[in-house]
Amino acid sequence: MNWKLSIAIWLGVSGYLGTLPSCSPNSSSPDRVYEQKADSILKLMTLEEKIGQLSLFTSDWDVTGPVINNNYKQLIKEGKAGAIFNAFSVDYVRSLQKVAVEESRLKIPLLFGYDVIHGHKTIFPIPLAQSCTWDMESIEKSERIAASEATAEGINWTFSPMVDISRDPRWGRVMEGSGEDVWLGSSIAAARVKGFQGDNLADPNTLLACVKHFAAYGAPEAGRDYNTVDMSQQSLFENYLPPYKAAIDAGVGSVMTSFNEIAGTPSTSNPWLLNELLRKKWGFKGLVVTDYTSINELIPHGVATDSAEAGMLAINAGVDMDMQGNIYNRHLIQLVKQQKVSKETIDNAVMRILVAKFKLGLFADPYRYCSNQREKTEVLTIENIAFARKFASKSCVLLKNQNQLLPLPITLNSVAVIGPLADAKQDMLGSWSAAGDGKRCISLLEGLKNTLNSETKIAYEIGCAVNDQSTAGFAKAVAAARGAQVVILALGETRDMSGEAASRSTISLPGVQQQLAEAIIKANPKTVVVLFNGRPLAIPELDSIAPAILETWFGGTEAGNGVADVLLGKYNPSGKLTMTFPRNVGQIPIYYNHKNTGRPIDPSKVEKYKSKYLDIANTPLYPFGYGLSYTTFDYSNAVLDKYEYTAEDTIVVRISVMNSGKFDGEEVVQLYVHDLVGEVTRPVKELKGFSKVLIPAGGSTTVTFKLTANDLRYYHSNMDYKFDPGQFEILVGTNSDQTKKVNFSIK
Ligand code: GLC
């Protein structure tokens, strides 16, 4: 391109720039300014250059999907790439950005995306673990830190938060979400977006977030990844869509379409989902990107005969950017010539991508995220590591603690640390740990050595592998158990047994771990089981023999230290399950906000013609909202300010909670509502609020909740979303099963 044109462009573009207006994700005026700037560039672009902006390619630094090509540098040079993902480090990003802004004709800077899912270099607990803290402030802070570290290494776009609700622990990606409840999942979605995007996307330490996977990816039949999703509109709107909407209301700048179909239409070619619901009804103005080659996958889905038709379906449905499929580059020019795709559709998609780049400040400074100084000083800092340790402790859920075996005294004479996860480091990262380095992770054994008194004798035996049938290691493990005052037995899954393409048909302890537990507990009844896993496990046999069980998930870089702090009483566990633990896989889907059915069982009676199994109870092993503490909390009765309301009233609920134990402790007081009669059947309870309170030993506090008629709305059979007057029940308590109930009516 001649130098005059390039100067004209930069004067034209930079002439608008001046100082970048603050661009809070929700503000409207800078959007118009950015749209004007983007339009000035759009007018200069050829159709091929426009289409180039709609293509996203992976570098060959990391592999997150089935297709990889390494000609992405040539594509950048030819103006056929609008963004690159799986590339980071300042020098590498700068080298690629240099090709875009110095060697392509129009010098349009690139977006650099990455899956920053639970930390960048400092890895935090997996998102499912984080959700068990019910701590929005910590969740938001973890994303703030992740954004700071990722942008310090050249990244400006994260494919996160993943907000897919799931009721099926066979599905491997439950590790990546926030469990089974939409109300909690929506709160967490908003917190994550705010953490990533901050108040101004142009700040060099904020990331463009991308809510995924739109939509209902977490409801595949049989829990098998990528499988068919088919449900009623009511269930889709009641139980799966709210967290995506919460992310959009929080100002998320991009949306990723999901691999799955919903009732016959793949999300990547669903004009109702994208153009109608997402853009028109919800008012989303950001960019829509596909998941990895999900346009290409419209062919095996059986809705497109070839890649040209697939590209046409996707762009006309509202998909702006093609991740790794290279379909837009190959077919859109011809589709425009054939008038199967309008130039307006292309221009609208390009505008949304250019506006995102303006919001990030990339036109003002394409190297804004390329600071070698920041890379040296803002990654894996002492503060970030300290936060990760505390977050790992907060994510733990105490499932059982018979006779107060926990916490263990720091002055233990001897302890045997046994099991396949006892000295695992890489596994502490969990799945989707992106740039995390397993060698930097603290294993449980290392964490105990760091925390126990130096005089404590520590024996270590692996006992068995995670997932094989050999019991050859049992004898040494049993001997170590016999010789110790206490045993800490670390069991569970490897990090690769959850995450993408990692569904399991059974969710029991893998291999011979249950047999190891039986042998160890028989040898030494003072055995604490520590679980490392990426999904709820069906462990009734373990629960029946283990005196204490601590669920720790995969706690990230500081997992071992964080878990040791809990085991040794430095932190009193406060986690509460956000996903139901089934008794066995046959109960799935099992979740707390279920319907009553016409033949609900009465647990106090034995009746044949009721909704039940012949061989197992209906109840879960551990319910939603469940988690113990080292102390005990006693609840008073829930009281209301009155018992008959109008639709305009605020319902005020009060309950007192006393810490009747010896330890200061945090309690997540949960509020559920049961709409006793609806125009359609209603769940037996729905989470509508919680309050996490710290109560000193012997102290008490009164928690107040306020509800309005808006909180009681639901989708009617005609899909009207509204509230009905009638009879309601409030349930307040320490988990979804143990609650104090009080009734009220609204006229
Ligand atoms: C993967 C995942 C998606 C991720 C993308 C890019 O297939 O489904 O969550 O963001 O590819 O890595």
Side-chain angles (χ1 to χ4, degrees):
M1 176 179 81
N2 71 54
W3 64 272
K4 285 180 183 155
L5 176 57
S6 61
I7 287 175
I9 286 171
W10 283 105
L11 284 177
V13 169
S14 54
Y16 279 112
L17 288 185
T19 53
L20 274 177
S22 163
C23 175
S24 88
N26 292 314
S27 61
S28 57
S29 60
D31 278 16
R32 276 200 306 281
V33 173
Y34 288 140
E35 282 162 7
Q36 288 162 358
K37 297 175 203 152
D39 195 49
S40 68
I41 296 178
L42 201 64
K43 289 185 170 67
L44 299 167
M45 297 172 80
T46 65
L47 179 59
E48 193 171 25
E49 286 166 335
K50 290 176 182 176
I51 291 165
Q53 286 298 305
L54 311 184
S55 297
L56 164 64
F57 294 101
T58 180
S59 83
D60 47 14
W61 266 39
D62 195 351
V63 179
T64 56
V67 174
I68 187 122
N69 48 40
N70 50 25
N71 65 338
Y72 53 94
K73 289 173 189 163
Q74 186 56 28
L75 290 163
I76 296 170
K77 191 168 185 175
E78 294 168 3
K80 292 182 176 175
I84 294 292
F85 66 113
N86 293 334
F88 62 89
S89 95
V90 167
D91 292 342
Y92 187 53
V93 167
R94 182 184 286 118
S95 70
L96 297 180
Q97 192 70 293
K98 196 166 183 298
V99 174
V101 300
E102 294 183 19
E103 298 179 36
S104 72
R105 188 178 81 91
L106 288 177
K107 312 182 180 328
I108 297 172
L110 297 164
L111 292 173
F112 284 91
Y114 200 40
D115 292 285
V116 184
I117 306 294
H118 52 110
H120 176 63
K121 281 278 175 69
T122 303
I123 300 300
F124 302 115
I126 57 173
L128 182 61
Q130 292 183 26
S131 71
C132 293
T133 67
W134 296 56
D135 179 348
M136 300 305 129
E137 192 182 325
S138 291
I139 291 169
E140 182 173 339
K141 182 173 180 181
S142 75
E143 304 303 25
R144 192 87 294 286
I145 293 171
S148 174
E149 292 197 349
T151 54
E153 295 209 331
I155 295 161
N156 48 50
W157 184 22
T158 178
F159 305 134
S160 186
M162 184 275 212
V163 303
D164 306 321
I165 293 293
S166 185
R167 296 167 159 175
D168 191 332
R170 292 171 294 184
W171 189 51
R173 298 192 81 162
V174 295
M175 58 67 57
E176 203 177 342
S178 296
E180 69 193 46
D181 180 71
V182 281
W183 193 94
L184 186 65
S186 299
S187 304
I188 292 173
R192 293 194 186 286
V193 170
K194 289 169 192 156
F196 281 131
Q197 298 193 157
D199 297 326
N200 183 356
L201 273 181
D203 284 346
N205 61 6
T206 57
L207 275 175
L208 178 70
C210 181
V211 64
K212 68 184 184 184
H213 303 81
F214 193 59
Y217 177 39
E221 287 180 354
R224 198 176 77 230
D225 206 358
Y226 317 124
N227 203 5
T228 303
V229 171
D230 198 344
M231 62 177 74
S232 68
Q233 281 286 74
Q234 269 138 317
S235 185
L236 179 65
F237 276 82
E238 292 279 6
N239 301 315
Y240 293 92
L241 289 178
Y244 306 105
K245 177 70 166 52
I248 283 145
D249 291 346
V252 72
S254 59
V255 170
M256 182 184 292
T257 62
S258 58
F259 289 118
N260 57 286
E261 68 166 80
I262 302 174
T265 306
S267 302
T268 302
S269 61
N270 190 331
W272 168 79
L273 188 69
L274 303 177
N275 284 335
E276 294 307 314
L277 179 65
L278 179 64
R279 294 201 195 284
K280 286 193 187 128
K281 189 167 173 59
W282 290 359
F284 178 64
K285 297 193 180 329
L287 73 93
V288 173
V289 63
T290 70
D291 203 338
Y292 206 109
T293 64
S294 58
I295 298 178
N296 314 56
E297 293 164 18
L298 296 177
I299 299 168
H301 265 300
V303 294
T305 49
D306 56 30
S307 51
E309 185 179 10
M312 178 192 73
L313 290 172
I315 191 87
N316 287 337
V319 170
D320 300 322
M321 196 173 246
D322 166 8
M323 179 190 283
Q324 193 58 17
N326 200 28
I327 282 187
Y328 282 4
N329 269 339
R330 282 183 285 145
H331 297 293
L332 282 186
I333 288 179
Q334 188 60 13
L335 288 165
V336 169
K337 283 177 184 163
Q338 294 166 340
Q339 296 185 328
K340 292 179 176 178
V341 174
S342 71
K343 286 187 177 174
E344 184 194 9
T345 298
I346 303 281
D347 286 356
N348 290 339
V350 177
M351 278 290 283
R352 290 187 280 261
I353 290 164
L354 295 179
V355 166
K357 294 181 177 182
F358 271 111
K359 285 184 172 181
L360 284 164
L362 288 170
F363 279 102
D365 175 8
Y367 303 108
R368 173 180 294 270
Y369 300 88
C370 298
S371 158
N372 293 95
Q373 177 56 29
R374 283 190 63 206
E375 194 171 44
K376 288 195 192 82
T377 57
E378 294 188 23
V379 178
L380 285 164
T381 64
I382 292 171
E383 297 78 14
N384 295 358
I385 295 288
F387 176 82
R389 177 170 183 155
K390 178 60 88 181
F391 210 14
S393 298
K394 288 183 170 185
S395 302
C396 294
V397 183
L398 182 59
L399 300 177
K400 190 174 179 186
N401 192 22
Q402 235 163 22
N403 309 321
Q404 291 292 311
L405 179 54
L406 287 171
L408 300 173
I410 285 190
T411 55
L412 273 173
N413 295 324
S414 63
V415 61
V417 186
I418 296 171
L421 277 300
D423 199 25
K425 292 167 76 75
Q426 187 78 14
D427 287 314
M428 298 301 105
L429 292 171
S431 187
W432 286 111
S433 57
D437 176 0
K439 293 187 289 302
R440 290 195 65 105
C441 287
I442 305 294
S443 72
L444 176 58
L445 180 63
E446 289 166 336
L448 290 165
K449 287 178 178 172
N450 294 339
T451 314
L452 281 164
N453 274 1
S454 52
E455 299 79 56
T456 303
K457 270 186 1 193
I458 302 174
Y460 162 64
E461 289 295 341
I462 190 169
C464 67
V466 167
N467 204 7
D468 74 15
Q469 299 306 312
S470 165
T471 61
F474 278 28
K476 289 174 77 177
V478 167
R482 283 209 183 93
Q485 185 182 347
V486 163
V487 177
I488 295 172
L489 179 59
L491 306 173
E493 301 174 314
T494 62
R495 64 190 287 249
D496 299 327
M497 295 175 79
S498 56
E500 185 174 356
S503 296
R504 290 180 65 199
S505 68
T506 71
I507 54 170
S508 46
L509 273 177
V512 292
Q513 294 184 62
Q514 174 60 26
Q515 292 88 311
L516 176 67
E518 287 159 8
I520 295 300
I521 293 167
K522 187 178 172 195
N524 188 334
K526 285 183 181 286
T527 293
V528 175
V529 172
V530 180
L531 289 176
F532 296 92
N533 43 299
R535 59 164 53 84
L537 296 176
I539 49 169
E541 303 82 3
L542 183 67
D543 179 69
S544 67
I545 60 170
I549 303 175
L550 181 69
E551 175 58 79
T552 73
W553 312 104
F554 293 117
T557 306
E558 282 290 296
N561 285 333
V563 173
D565 288 344
V566 172
L567 293 172
L568 298 168
K570 289 191 161 188
Y571 180 80
N572 181 1
S574 61
K576 299 281 187 178
L577 294 178
T578 56
M579 204 168 174
T580 300
F581 272 53
R583 293 178 188 279
N584 75 26
V585 72
Q587 290 182 306
I588 293 170
I590 179 171
Y591 46 92
Y592 87 93
N593 48 346
H594 59 80
K595 301 299 186 66
N596 204 33
T597 78
R599 292 194 171 185
I601 59 166
D602 176 344
S604 65
K605 295 177 187 168
V606 177
E607 298 172 293
K608 179 172 176 56
Y609 298 103
K610 294 294 181 183
S611 179
K612 67 180 190 323
Y613 300 97
L614 292 177
D615 55 352
I616 201 166
N618 289 5
T619 54
L621 184 61
Y622 310 116
F624 177 85
Y626 175 84
L628 302 176
S629 168
Y630 291 152
T631 192
T632 49
F633 297 105
D634 299 336
Y635 283 68
S636 71
N637 288 326
V639 293
L640 305 178
D641 58 331
K642 55 185 178 183
Y643 294 87
E644 286 190 0
Y645 296 90
T646 68
E648 290 67 43
D649 284 335
T650 296
I651 300 139
V652 181
V653 189
R654 286 192 179 84
I655 193 160
S656 293
V657 184
M658 179 175 174
N659 178 340
S660 49
K662 296 181 296 186
F663 294 87
D664 297 350
E666 294 160 288
E667 170 70 336
V668 179
V669 181
Q670 301 151 46
L671 172 83
Y672 300 88
V673 177
H674 180 190
D675 184 347
L676 297 173
V677 178
E679 187 257 355
V680 294
T681 57
R682 309 286 296 114
V684 295
K685 63 192 75 153
E686 296 174 281
L687 181 71
K688 293 292 182 186
F690 73 90
S691 178
K692 186 162 189 174
V693 289
L694 173 61
I695 309 176
S700 68
T701 187
T702 296
V703 177
T704 301
F705 296 102
K706 292 184 178 178
L707 291 170
T708 67
N710 266 353
D711 298 311
L712 307 175
R713 288 175 294 173
Y714 67 94
Y715 287 92
H716 288 56
S717 54
N718 65 358
M719 290 306 285
D720 278 357
Y721 184 57
K722 61 183 183 174
F723 139 84
D724 292 340
Q727 300 297 321
F728 298 85
E729 183 180 50
I730 292 264
L731 308 91
V732 188
T734 187
N735 64 58
S736 58
D737 272 1
Q738 292 171 272
T739 55
K740 301 284 188 178
K741 299 180 180 67
V742 61
N743 287 61
F744 68 95
S745 65
I746 298 183
K747 294 283 182 245

